[in-house]
Amino acid sequence: MLLVINPQNPQQRLIDQAVSVLQNDGVIIYPTDTVYGLGCSVYSKKAMEQVCRIKEVDRKKPLTFVCSSERQIQEYTQGIDAPLYKLIRRQFPGPYTFILEASKIVPKIMLTKRRTIGVRYPDHPITLALVESLGHPIISTSLRADEEDLHDDPHDLHEQYKNVVDMVIDGGVIFAENSTIVDFTSFPPEVIRQGKGDLSWLENALK
């Protein structure tokens, strides 16, 4: 199913339709401020297994939890001291993925041996409306056209994945670019991947 949603002012009735899919163990493709992501509810083992099959996810790497508020990030992570949290909260919402220690509320199946997760708080109206209406984070991973290129057109995504996902949300063609990943589980923090988003705030903090 291809569902067209206004990327600037998401229609709530359409958001509710997508949320219903997530609540019923569904897998969706949806737009963020960086890429089109493949996602499901963090509490659906069945959907997460489907995501892993589609993407061939390396389970040694932490899964990304897409959140819609600072409260959710605090709820699903732990071990963030006050100075660190003050630093990263200034980047919300934005194109960053922060690797942090998972809290006890995170389902065990979602954890790596390191017990870490990636957290994102994207600056995209559709993403935020989905997570807010769902009431908890979405597990998410990016979709690539090939080794080098990211998908930017939802119609292409629908053609390629319509038989393995339950819904593709059309939020328009985007300028797809990877998020920047920073691992905050050690000091100094390690930049795992430089993508969209300035990192001068991190460089200045480490001086």
Side-chain angles (χ1 to χ4, degrees):
M1 175 190 296
L2 184 65
L3 184 68
V4 180
I5 298 181
N6 188 311
Q8 301 302 322
N9 297 291
Q11 304 95 318
Q12 188 60 47
R13 62 181 179 81
L14 300 180
I15 291 294
D16 291 342
Q17 191 174 338
V19 167
S20 178
V21 171
L22 293 169
Q23 290 172 332
N24 288 280
D25 298 319
V27 175
I28 68 171
I29 292 173
Y30 66 104
T32 73
D33 57 348
T34 54
V35 299
Y36 265 91
L38 178 69
C40 67
S41 166
V42 298
Y43 292 109
S44 175
K45 178 182 177 181
K46 178 181 178 182
M48 193 206 72
E49 289 174 345
Q50 177 67 355
V51 167
C52 290
R53 281 193 293 270
I54 294 170
K55 184 68 187 294
E56 298 180 354
V57 174
D58 183 355
R59 290 309 317 276
K60 294 180 180 179
K61 296 180 180 179
L63 294 168
T64 298
F65 281 40
V66 173
C67 301
S68 63
S69 66
E70 291 181 28
R71 178 190 58 77
Q72 283 184 346
I73 291 173
Q74 291 174 322
E75 187 176 2
Y76 287 85
T77 63
Q78 63 181 2
I80 312 177
D81 59 32
L84 170 59
Y85 188 71
K86 184 177 181 181
L87 176 66
I88 66 175
R89 70 181 301 214
R90 294 172 182 166
Q91 317 314 317
F92 299 144
Y96 304 97
T97 299
F98 297 134
I99 297 177
L100 300 164
E101 293 181 18
S103 70
K104 293 181 180 179
I105 196 175
V106 175
K108 290 183 179 180
I109 192 173
M110 306 294 180
L111 292 173
T112 63
K113 291 183 178 179
R114 291 182 60 200
R115 301 187 67 81
T116 59
I117 60 172
V119 293
R120 284 217 63 208
Y121 182 173
D123 187 13
H124 195 287
I126 290 177
T127 313
L128 297 181
L130 282 171
V131 179
E132 185 175 345
S133 295
L134 181 62
H136 57 257
I138 293 173
I139 286 288
S140 188
T141 182
S142 61
L143 287 165
R144 294 182 178 277
D146 54 43
E147 198 63 33
E148 298 295 329
D149 296 323
L150 294 162
H151 281 290
D152 56 8
D153 190 326
H155 293 274
D156 292 342
L157 282 162
H158 183 249
E159 283 303 308
Q160 184 171 344
Y161 293 100
K162 61 185 177 183
N163 295 323
V164 292
V165 302
D166 300 280
M167 176 181 287
V168 176
I169 294 177
D170 179 354
V173 175
I174 64 173
F175 181 77
E177 187 176 0
N178 285 314
S179 66
T180 288
I181 303 175
V182 184
D183 188 343
F184 279 102
T185 61
S186 60
F187 190 85
E190 180 183 0
V191 178
I192 305 298
R193 180 179 72 198
Q194 174 71 68
K196 186 177 180 180
D198 176 59
L199 276 176
S200 60
W201 56 271
L202 179 61
E203 295 165 0
N204 292 336
L206 297 176
K207 287 180 180 179

